[in-house]
Every structure is written in structure tokens, then in C-alpha cells.
Amino acid sequence: NSRLCMASAVAGYKTSLGTDGPPASYADIDLADCFFLVGTNTADCHPVIFKRIKRRKLRDPDGVRIITVDPRRTETADFADLHLPIRPGTDIALLNGMLHVLVKQELVDRDFIDLHTREFRETMALIEQYPPGVSEKICGVPECLIVEAAMIFGKAKTALTLWSMGVNQSTVGVHKNNAIHNLHL
């Protein structure tokens, strides 16, 4: 599968993390307090995972937050705490806008970044071009929702991002994967 529909994810993992396997496991679903679902209608396409996310949310409705990024209103979006109705193909602008907020609000771990990442300054130069207002113009998601999503994600103790073909099957799928990884790193 890694040479076909998941090729963008594999290349994204290799360029961001140095290995081609996802760093999370199914057990992480039971521990996460923030689910960031991008380019995936999890309820329809991954119903077993969606049931597990739903069960986690119902066990702690105030402590667990779900954000979904999807141009369409789906069952996944209906269950989420926050739905970001993105303009198709503009995921990178949204993700960079969120990272811009995280940096400006000092919701990044500078010690971790210094010890475990490279090219942070170059990434920040790029992120400076994506304040939430600019991201809104590109992706069609209101600035206030970009900020809200970033704050939920940035304040989470255990955020887990799940994505699927809406991210991977794109001419810039690798870059979308890298932008997701940048949020976590």
C-alpha cells in the first residue's frame, strides 16, 4: 500500500521524521484529549476508528475535543466540536496558519524544538507569511476558527492527528503531510 494511496504519507514521514511508519498506534486513541481529523470522513471510511474516537469522547465529553477539517458537512463533522469547512486543496494554508498561532501564543516547546528538530528558523520564515487572516483568504475558514482550532490543539496534552486520502491523494500530498508533522513537532 505504501507505493500507491499512502505514498504521500510515506514520503512525508520519511522527510519529517526519518522513517516511513506512523508514530502513533490504535492505543493512542484511548489516551488522546484532542483529535484533529484532516481530509478524512472517518465515520464513513474508517468506522471502527470512528467508534473508538466516539467512545473516547463520550467517556470524557468536556475533556476531549474533536476538530475536523472537511469541505463537506459529514457525520464526522457533525460529531466534532469544531468543523473547519476548508476550500478544497488549501490544507497547507490552514495548517501553516494554525502553526503561526501556536508560535505567536508561545504554545511550542522550544527545548524540544532545539533538541529534536532541524530548520526551525526556515520553517518560521515560511509560517510568518501565514497569519490567520491570510490563511482565511486562502482556505475560506474564518480567522476566528483557525485561531480556535490552533488553541485547542496547542493546549491539548495529548493531541492525535488522523488523516486519509483527502490529504494523501494530492499533487502536494507530501507537503500536506509535512505541515501536519510540523504542528506536532
Side-chain angles (χ1 to χ4, degrees):
N1 195 5
S2 65
R3 292 186 186 163
L4 192 58
C5 67
M6 297 301 290
S8 293
V10 169
Y13 286 131
K14 292 279 284 181
T15 56
S16 291
L17 305 175
T19 185
D20 67 352
S25 71
Y26 289 110
D28 292 326
I29 294 170
D30 300 326
L31 303 173
D33 65 350
C34 174
F35 293 94
F36 188 49
L37 309 175
V38 185
T40 175
N41 180 6
T42 311
D44 285 350
C45 299
H46 302 283
V48 174
I49 291 174
F50 186 71
K51 285 180 185 175
R52 201 162 175 173
I53 291 170
K54 198 171 186 178
R55 187 170 55 239
R56 173 74 178 112
K57 172 71 173 171
L58 294 173
R59 275 198 316 255
D60 187 4
D62 296 326
V64 174
R65 304 292 304 272
I66 300 171
I67 305 163
T68 188
V69 179
D70 195 319
R72 303 164 302 140
R73 190 83 195 175
T74 63
E75 181 182 345
T76 305
D78 287 340
F79 189 72
D81 296 287
L82 182 61
H83 172 222
L84 306 178
I86 193 168
R87 187 174 293 127
T90 61
D91 310 71
I92 293 172
L94 172 73
L95 297 163
N96 286 346
M98 288 178 61
L99 184 53
H100 186 279
V101 172
L102 295 179
V103 170
K104 295 300 180 186
Q105 294 296 316
E106 298 183 8
L107 291 172
V108 296
D109 184 341
R110 295 285 181 162
D111 292 334
F112 177 88
I113 290 167
D114 291 343
L115 288 171
H116 301 289
T117 69
R118 291 177 295 161
E119 301 177 19
F120 181 70
R121 285 191 183 113
E122 294 84 353
T123 301
M124 289 306 94
L126 173 70
I127 296 308
E128 280 298 319
Q129 300 171 36
Y130 289 92
V134 169
S135 294
E136 174 183 10
K137 289 178 181 148
I138 297 168
C139 69
V141 174
E143 179 178 352
C144 63
L145 296 183
I146 295 170
V147 171
E148 183 179 356
M151 297 303 287
I152 291 168
F153 185 91
K155 290 182 178 182
K157 291 184 179 109
T158 52
L160 181 61
T161 300
L162 302 173
W163 65 94
S164 191
M165 296 308 102
V167 167
N168 293 329
Q169 292 184 346
S170 165
T171 57
V172 292
V174 174
H175 300 301
K176 290 180 184 184
N177 275 265
N178 294 143
I180 291 168
H181 301 152
N182 285 344
L183 281 177
H184 285 273
L185 292 172

